[in-house]
Amino acid sequence: MSKVYKITKGLDIRLVGKAETVVTKAPLAEAYALKPADFQGLTPKLLVKVGDKVKAGTPLFFDKYNPKVVFASPVSGEIAAINRGERRLLLDVVVKPSEEQEYVVADTSNILAQNREQIVELLLAAGCWPFIKQRPYGIIANPSVSPKAIFISCFDSSPLAPDFDTLVRGEEEGFYKGIEVLKKLTDGKVHLGLNASYTSPIFEKVDGVEVNLFQGPHPAGNVGTQINLVSPINKGEVVWTVDPQHVVAIGRFALTGKYDVQKTIAAVGSEVKKPHYYKIIQGASIKNLLEGGVSTGKHLRYVSGSVLSGTRISSEGFIGYYDNMLAVIPEGDHFEMFGWALPGLNKFSFSRSFFSWLMPNKDFVMDTNYHGGERAFVMSDVYTKVFPFDIYPVHLLKAILAEDIDAMEKLGIYEVVEEDFALCEFVDPSKIEIQAIVRKGLNLMIKEMN
């Protein structure tokens, strides 16, 4: 019987615009992009130039410090643009898709009969390796290291989160095959994290893995929370994490030899007229995806990923590599006179400053307004109310700001990434960009430890 882990610290944020369980297959987008910024710690080296013809699976760039890790084109077509920023920083490689999709095909007919090193080489050459991330640091996994375990969270508890059963439905064969491949990459266990509040007909059928059940508010669905409860990371240990849709992509590669990165995303938020799911190809432009499907006459914020920890993109931007949802919410660029003095029945309030706390089942429309500017970083217990880790969050953040490596190690820097502090940032009365501080600390650790 699976063990049930209960957490009491956290916060469920109910927002208007959750996706209905309807999946629409989107036509090919005008363009697809691969963005180095989606991969922490990456220094890309280009392999293509504008005008080159590519297939789905053709490497577009590689990691300068680990050349075996290549990043493949999600579609076949022509390189339409290579965009750079300041100091020629590579922003993205844009591919205009061809009408008929062609794939680079590898021989994976006996992949499960091969040893770990041979499977790793196959995944590296196919461009599948960036699917796998590691902790510490939240970076692409080091292929030369065998992890003590692999964790896959099969539900998301963040606001407006998609239903993972819907994301994977119809792709069960690929998911089960992907699990078999991942089991060959570790001497430890493969852990599946499921929601204890409901049964999952897809994920509960997986054999040969350890299934853990989690109960409680967000961030119960964060893979970092699950690792901390099941198998905390000590210094020198490495754990890998994989998103369920990337498990499917690994399984498809094992079954067909193709780099096939179709995925399902949820288009959500109060400004989406009919929030539901779209089947797309990874890296798709959203230019035509929501055409006519969002509110007009408003200043909108498009977020690739969670509204708590996702990335802001433009209305013609691209879905992020690891993201399963696209949220559209109102911008908060307005001023509200004496807003603090009103009853606030339509305002979500963690601190119970408004009477809306008397309606715990109400869905709220929230914008991006901070409702105040950055102020002094004061000691309080507000973070610990939403942070279920066995870690002192304020002490860790102050150790990062002081660049105290020893203190950061002792306070648990190896276990966390930005998304684990997203709720702390949401409830923070000091209006500090906490997730950016955590990334600064992780980057400092990478620099000092290597």
Side-chain angles (χ1 to χ4, degrees), residues 295-425:
S295 303
T296 55
K298 293 183 179 179
H299 192 190
L300 303 179
R301 171 80 63 94
Y302 295 79
V303 181
S304 178
S306 166
V307 291
L308 292 177
S309 57
T311 305
R312 180 180 183 176
I313 61 175
S314 73
S315 59
E316 298 182 0
F318 300 90
I319 298 293
Y321 193 88
Y322 297 103
D323 297 332
N324 293 323
M325 67 170 142
L326 168 66
V328 187
I329 57 177
E331 273 290 1
D333 50 355
H334 62 274
F335 177 73
E336 187 177 11
M337 181 70 77
F338 299 120
W340 52 270
L342 300 173
L345 295 176
N346 291 319
K347 295 178 179 177
F348 181 86
S349 176
F350 171 68
S351 61
R352 298 192 173 187
S353 300
F354 300 109
F355 289 112
S356 58
W357 71 270
L358 295 170
M359 300 175 285
N361 295 320
K362 179 181 173 63
D363 292 338
F364 294 87
V365 175
M366 296 180 68
D367 58 32
T368 62
N369 198 316
Y370 272 35
H371 301 289
E374 186 172 325
R375 59 206 72 169
F377 189 1
V378 296
M379 293 288 286
S380 75
D381 66 346
V382 66
Y383 299 163
T384 57
K385 293 178 180 176
V386 297
F387 190 75
F389 287 62
D390 187 18
I391 288 173
Y392 295 112
V394 175
H395 296 74
L396 176 56
L397 290 171
K398 294 211 169 189
I400 293 172
L401 292 171
E403 299 188 355
D404 186 336
I405 300 294
D406 290 338
M408 289 159 63
E409 283 187 329
K410 292 174 182 175
L411 290 166
I413 186 73
Y414 294 122
E415 294 204 58
V416 297
V417 297
E418 300 95 307
E419 70 171 7
D420 300 319
F421 279 82
L423 277 177
C424 295
E425 187 170 289

Side-chain angles (χ1 to χ4, degrees), residues 9 23 44 62-63 72 76 85 129 136 143 175 200 241 262 282 347 359 375 431:
K9 296 179 179 178
V23 181
F62 63 93
D63 184 357
S76 63
W129 196 257
F175 184 79
S200 169
T241 64
Q262 294 182 66
Q282 186 170 278
K347 295 178 179 177
M359 300 175 285
R375 59 206 72 169
K431 316 295 182 185

Side-chain angles (χ1 to χ4, degrees), residues 51 66 107 169 191 235 244 254 256 306 329-330 373 382 400 426:
N66 197 343
D107 180 9
R169 188 167 296 124
H191 295 265
K235 185 177 181 179
T256 66
S306 166
I329 57 177
V382 66
I400 293 172
F426 178 77

